[in-house]
Amino acid sequence: MYFYIKINLYLILFCGLLLTGNIGVAKDILMQADQFEVNQVDQIVIATGHVQISYNQRLLQADRVIYYQKTDKVIATGNVYVTDQDQDNGFLYANYLELDENLKQGVIENFLLILKDGSRVAAARGDIDPDRLSHFDYAVYSACRPCQDNPKKPLVWQIKSVSVTRDGSTHRLIFKDAWLELFDIPVFYVPYFSIPDGTLKKQSGLLAPKIFSNRNTGFVFGLPVFINLDASKDVTLTPYISLKGTAVLDINYRQRFTSGYIDLDGSVGIGDYKETIGSIEHKYHNDFRGHLALKGGFDINNHWRLGMDVTIASDKSYLSDLSFNKDPMIASTIFTEGFLSSYSYFKGQGIGFYGTRDIDINQQQTFALPRLVHYYRSSPSFYNTYWDLRSELTALHRVDGRESQKLSIDAGLNWSSIDRIGGVWNGHLAVQSDLYHVQGVDPDSEVFNPNTNKFTGWQGRLTPRAFIEWRYPMVKSLSDASNISIEPILSITAAPSRKFSGKVPNEDGQDIILDPTNIFLANRLVGVDRPDRGSRITYGFQFRYDNYLKDWQIYLAIGNSYQFNKNLFPEGTGLSRNVTDLVGTFGVILSKQIDIGYQFQFDPNNKKFRRQEITLKGDFERFTLNASYISLQNYYVSTLQPSNYEWATAQLSMKLSPYWTIGVSTSFDAKNNKFYSYGGFLTYDDECFNFGVTFRRRTVQENSRKTDNFIGITFSLTNIGGINPGVNFK
């Protein structure tokens, strides 16, 4: 039965019984039990059998509860269970519990406390006060859960401490005279230490140390110190020191705002290092080293937002030496963009590049400031006709080399319709207008910093184009959950075939890639510096099969063009002859477990494949597979030497059990018939313990980087910490 009880310094119980006294602060209690006994003389209430007491968002359950009204004391015995509504204080199980009238402060014996993050504290006796200090005598702490099949089996690790204090204000557990035990074997003694109690998402303290090695700094050790400023911001200080004398302090500041965030990371230090610029190696002794990296984003209002991702460094190898950033080319940008309407978009940005490879000369890297782009599209009108307009104003700079400023406006009229037999027609008429002012450009080459034959001046051009396309989609339903579609495609494009002046530098369209995603477009090329040229007829088809019930998909697309002019593009692009290369793609997706993709570019003149790409992805319950193969034969890529390339990669991981995972990976240079790299890993990961071993070997020297071996060992105890080192052995 249920009783609603109101207490005015005395307990009001069932059956209308009123124990009078001085009127105090009203408190509401909801009580349930199989049986109640009331001693009016001693003012004692005894509840037995499935007792439940709910008060102030706290719940107490027990076999027997005695309430001493004179002393405001509650004693619970037998299968005692206590928790609160938000479960911040965890779950408390005990044989004996003595509490005050608020069900908070008291004495406890033979108890188990399960914290909010799942970790556990067991002790023989304790004094509890969730909001202040709780003291536990001869306690055991662990994040490991007992084995369900054999609860007496030793835990992977546990901490036995003479005294444990839980500070409710700082949300930490403080251990004194503690031993760390692995499988019940004491391995490490510490007189005093503290850890978070799991109720907060982040707390100040030491993080796992960072250990690694490389040729410039040698063996490096870093110890991060995390400082939680408040719920929205924090700082991490990481001092680094190496055996070769490098000393660095890294500071990372993060803050979350209502409308955005910032992540600022900077470091400063001294050390010895080597830096290769072009073909010249420079050596520095006790020189300044440092970096600054800023990421952030802000929603200004419903239409405008601001963002940045900027990285600068003292030297090319610094970021990789200290494992801050290992990318070979680092792009920095700051931007603002506005979604002006459903048909209008603006973006203004600055872009810069920083190369970390030996061959990179950063004084010749370009940076764009400003780059302003605006897109506009009118609302559809008669016969689904609309205008579109793309405008760009960009100024490109270099510390040492050519520069240019350009204004480009691409305006077009578009229309689409469906004929009587179901054919879909799309049309496009457009003119691209470009105005350039350039400095230090060599008209006969794309050298960034020419010594002679430099041109400075103005250049302008108009590039019209016309495009009409016809598609005839045919769809057949095979069942309620599957269908098949075939769509032939035919298009005609008209554009000037003239050669563009070399006085206009090619900064944004150096690589020409022909594939099924762009062969059917009016403009197959990227950027505005080199618009697509020549008139052509393009033909092909698309095929697709979908089974929505089994989640299967099969697709195929093939396209080819006949160009009325040849030699408009370099050899190796597939666009240099009248008949372009045949491009296609084929794929099979089965239930999101198997994904097979194949792309090709076939040269009909030489009857050879110019490019082939194969990808294989498998995601199963026990293992995952990612494999790829790419082959380039006489393929034009401005940054690739030589143009023949054949490469294969594979990564396979398998779950040996719910906790054990093993994996292997390799990169293979099929053209030279040798492995570029190979390696593997073995990990164990459960709720309380993480261990892993990683091995990787690079067998090829490139960009003055020596061949090396990498061995990484990960060891971590949940909530306690661990190590995550990576050591290169040269």
Side-chain angles (χ1 to χ4, degrees), residues 339-345 377:
F339 302 88
L340 307 180
S341 69
S342 300
Y343 300 101
S344 181
Y345 169 80
R377 173 178 170 175

Side-chain angles (χ1 to χ4, degrees), residues 136-140 159-165 174-181 188-194:
F136 310 137
D137 298 330
Y138 300 100
V140 178
I159 297 175
K160 287 186 176 180
S161 180
V162 174
S163 173
V164 175
T165 299
I174 303 170
F175 298 83
K176 295 180 181 179
D177 292 333
W179 277 93
L180 171 65
E181 294 185 354
F188 186 76
Y189 171 79
V190 60
Y192 176 93
F193 78 103
S194 70

Side-chain angles (χ1 to χ4, degrees), residues 408-421:
S408 177
I409 300 176
D410 193 327
L413 175 65
N414 306 270
W415 62 271
S416 64
S417 65
I418 300 177
D419 58 31
R420 294 182 178 180
I421 63 173

